[in-house]
Each structure stands twice: as C-alpha cells, then as structure tokens.
Amino acid sequence: MTKAELIEGINRLRKEKNAVILAHYYQTGDIQDIADVVGDSLALAQWAANTDADMMVVCGVNFMGETAKILSPDKKVLIPDLEAGCSLADSCDATAFERFVKEHPDHTVISYVNTTAAVKALTDVVVTSTNARKIVDQFPCDAKLIFGPDRNLGAYINSVTGRNMLLWNGACHVHEQFSLEKLVNLKKQYPDAKVLAHPECKATVLTVADVVGSTQALLNYSRDNEAQTFIVATESGILHEMMKSSPNKQFIPVPPEDSTCACNECNFMRLNTLEKLYNCLLNETPEVFVDETIREAAVKPILRMLEMSK
Ligand code: 13P
Ligand code: SF4
C-alpha cells in the first residue's frame, strides 16, 4: 500500500471502530501527524484515563500500552508492535525490585512510569518526568523514599528537592549515551543556543543544560523562549514537534558517543510504523492484556499520581 492509502485506511478504520490513536513524541513524524493526541507519558496516561472511545491504539512502547489498559480495563488497547519494549523498564525486574522493597519496609516506593505493570503493583506512587519533582515535594522532607528504576532521574530529583531517596540502579540506553564532549563542542559552535536535556541523561550532561525537563517541558520551553537555536539531548523524535511549533528556529540533536550509530533514536519506539498501525486497527491485534490481580494493584499508584499531579 502507498503512504496515502495507509493514511486513508487508518482514518476510515478509526472512524468505523470509534478508536483513538495516541502517539508519544518519540514516534516517527508520520505517526505523530496522524495521531488524535501526541504527548509525553503523563499526557498519554491522562488521555487514556478519560477517553470515551471504544478502542485505543498506543503508539509508543509497551509500558505506555499497559498504563492505558490499567486505567481503562474495559477498552480494547492495541499497540502496533508488541516488541516495542523499553531498556529502562527492562532494567527493573519485578522479583528483584520486590526484594529491594522488602529490604526497606519503612520506605515509600516511588516508581517512574517507565516500568512494567508488575513493578507498578509494588509501588506507592507512580511519577513521570513531568511530575516527579512536584510529587516528591509533597512528601515530608524526612520521608524515607525509594525511587526506581532510573538512577539519573532519581539523582536529579534528589538534587533539586534536597532528598536522599534510595535509587534503583537502572537507566535508558538512549539517554545514557549522549556525548558530553560533543555537546560541549556544539555549545562552542553555537554560543547563543540553549541546551535542552531530558532528566534520564547522565548528571554530567544535565549540569551543562539550560533546561532539564520532560519531553513536554522541553517542547514548551523551545516554543516560548526567545532563543533561536536549541541543542537537544533527548530522543530525536521530539524534533518533529519542536520544528512544527517553531518553524523558524533551529534544533540540533546531540549526537551519541558512537557516531557510527543512530542511537539517539529509541529503537523500540521506532519499531512502530504507519503500516503496523494500519494492520493493528484492521486486525485489532496485537492487544495489550494485564493480569487482573496485577492491574488492581497497579492502578492505585497511577491514580495517586494523577491526583497528586493536579
Ligand atoms: P516523557 O515522560 O518525557 O514522555 O519520557 C518518556 C520516555 O520514555 C523518556 O525516555
Ligand atoms: Fe525506554 Fe529509553 Fe526508549 Fe524512553 S527512550 S522508551 S526510556 S528505552
């Protein structure tokens, strides 16, 4: 099928089936352009909790599909490619995490949304990169907190909130590999540029950033700030929306350490294609399922997050 036929087919099927298409900012431009909503992890979860569509296609990675299913168990939740995992979620095995939690029984467990449903089920409150600081700030200063699985986001939140949360030792393979050296060279080359970085990046990268924030926060800053050039240290899919919002500004993605790869693109996110999206709507598969016992435990910390981030 041609791209035009795929687009026509997707538009027809979503109408016939009362389906909505949710896309993360790290999806390819053609998927972002056809989606009903494009957003960061928090926005997608908020949408999933409130939509009255019968069916949702979550164009992102597995944990995003699971979060949607946990929040809307009566809806059919589809994901174009079930292989779209997440190295950060994979860095936190539920059995090992449970052991860690049990070793610290007097701690409140805060988990980043980039986790499996089984890890969320062991959690007191879920956070995203948009609301992590706001939610941690709502706990007393001396509260004993565990934060998993991202050590970089956890360390960053510790530094800005003055906490000393116990951190799980996980990371994202995309954000960990941004080259500080190449970033510093770009800063020299573009002295007026603002550096935007996602908090999953290493502390060395965050210290040279002008703004640290979620994909949505970085996008908002690039739109609202008067600077004309931005050096961007996060998955390069975000550039699509940045360029759409500010067509006259310049956006430069920070290259990875290894310049022979395109590893500032998340290989999991990029598994989704227009063709898979079309087939997914047509065949209503792959569908996301979450074990009901796990779902009942996992929904509580997600709802708590939605409440605490109001
Ligand atoms: P956001 O919370 O900014 O959407 O980030 C999600 C993610 O997967 C970052 O790698
Ligand atoms: Fe997971 Fe990293 Fe990909 Fe985000 S960019 S989905 S954290 S692997």
Side-chain angles (χ1 to χ4, degrees):
M1 283 170 92
T2 63
K3 186 174 171 183
E5 286 166 340
L6 287 171
I7 291 173
E8 192 277 318
I10 291 167
N11 286 333
R12 178 175 42 79
L13 287 167
R14 76 167 136 196
K15 206 178 274 175
E16 278 170 20
K17 301 190 181 207
N18 189 27
V20 281
I21 301 168
L22 281 64
H24 190 267
Y25 286 126
Y26 295 164
Q27 294 295 286
T28 52
D30 51 5
I31 292 184
Q32 293 190 44
D33 288 343
I34 205 166
D36 294 281
V37 60
V38 185
D40 67 356
S41 308
L42 178 62
L44 299 187
Q46 285 166 330
W47 247 74
N50 292 314
T51 180
D52 52 15
D54 297 318
M55 200 182 286
M56 276 181 263
V57 187
V58 180
C59 299
V61 292
N62 265 337
F63 75 81
M64 296 173 180
E66 276 190 348
T67 305
K69 185 67 184 177
I70 291 167
L71 286 165
S72 294
D74 301 332
K75 307 234 149 100
K76 188 173 261 193
V77 177
L78 305 167
I79 182 160
D81 191 326
L82 269 187
E83 297 297 310
C86 166
S87 58
L88 178 53
D90 288 347
S91 69
C92 190
D93 167 69
T95 310
F97 193 65
E98 185 171 20
R99 214 176 304 126
F100 182 62
V101 169
K102 282 191 175 148
E103 280 163 13
H104 304 93
D106 50 348
H107 284 60
T108 298
V109 182
I110 302 177
S111 292
Y112 193 26
V113 70
N114 298 41
T115 43
T116 60
V119 167
K120 290 187 178 78
L122 300 164
T123 296
D124 295 302
V125 58
V126 168
V127 298
T128 71
S129 47
T130 293
N131 59 25
R133 182 178 185 169
K134 182 174 182 176
I135 289 178
V136 170
D137 268 336
Q138 289 173 54
F139 288 93
C141 289
D142 57 353
K144 292 181 174 170
L145 306 172
I146 282 176
F147 187 92
D150 191 79
R151 58 175 176 251
N152 295 322
L153 174 62
Y156 172 71
I157 298 295
N158 269 344
S159 74
V160 292
T161 62
R163 309 296 166 121
N164 190 22
M165 300 186 292
L166 288 181
L167 307 182
W168 184 261
N169 192 19
C172 156
H173 72 300
V174 178
H175 288 87
E176 277 257 298
Q177 53 70 45
F178 286 116
S179 163
L180 177 63
E181 196 188 327
K182 290 177 186 166
L183 171 52
V184 170
N185 285 341
L186 280 174
K187 268 173 76 85
K188 280 186 200 144
Q189 213 178 322
Y190 300 94
D192 296 331
K194 297 282 185 196
V195 177
L196 313 178
H198 196 280
E200 288 173 24
C201 296
K202 286 186 283 199
T204 45
V205 167
L206 298 184
T207 49
V208 296
D210 294 291
V211 190
V212 177
S214 66
T215 44
Q216 186 66 56
L218 301 181
L219 174 63
N220 294 350
Y221 186 89
S222 71
R223 186 195 55 215
D224 300 338
N225 190 271
E226 61 196 15
Q228 292 302 304
T229 308
F230 297 87
I231 299 169
V232 185
T234 190
E235 213 269 7
S236 56
I238 188 69
L239 267 66
H240 181 72
E241 195 58 34
M242 285 177 169
M243 290 190 290
K244 263 173 94 173
S245 302
S246 308
N248 299 321
K249 295 182 180 177
Q250 185 182 17
F251 297 95
I252 304 158
V254 178
E257 299 269 4
D258 176 359
S259 33
T260 62
C261 72
C263 10
N264 56 0
E265 290 181 359
C266 175
N267 50 321
F268 297 114
M269 286 278 183
R270 304 306 175 111
L271 283 175
N272 297 327
T273 60
L274 266 192
E275 191 168 5
K276 287 182 194 171
L277 171 55
Y278 170 77
N279 285 328
C280 175
L281 269 169
L282 181 68
N283 304 316
E284 300 184 18
T285 182
E287 186 172 353
V288 177
F289 296 101
V290 178
D291 171 88
E292 185 54 19
T293 312
I294 291 182
R295 195 199 70 79
E296 280 171 14
V299 75
K300 292 179 200 152
I302 302 177
L303 291 176
R304 195 170 172 197
M305 166 186 83
L306 294 177
E307 194 53 40
M308 289 177 85
S309 54
K310 274 181 187 163

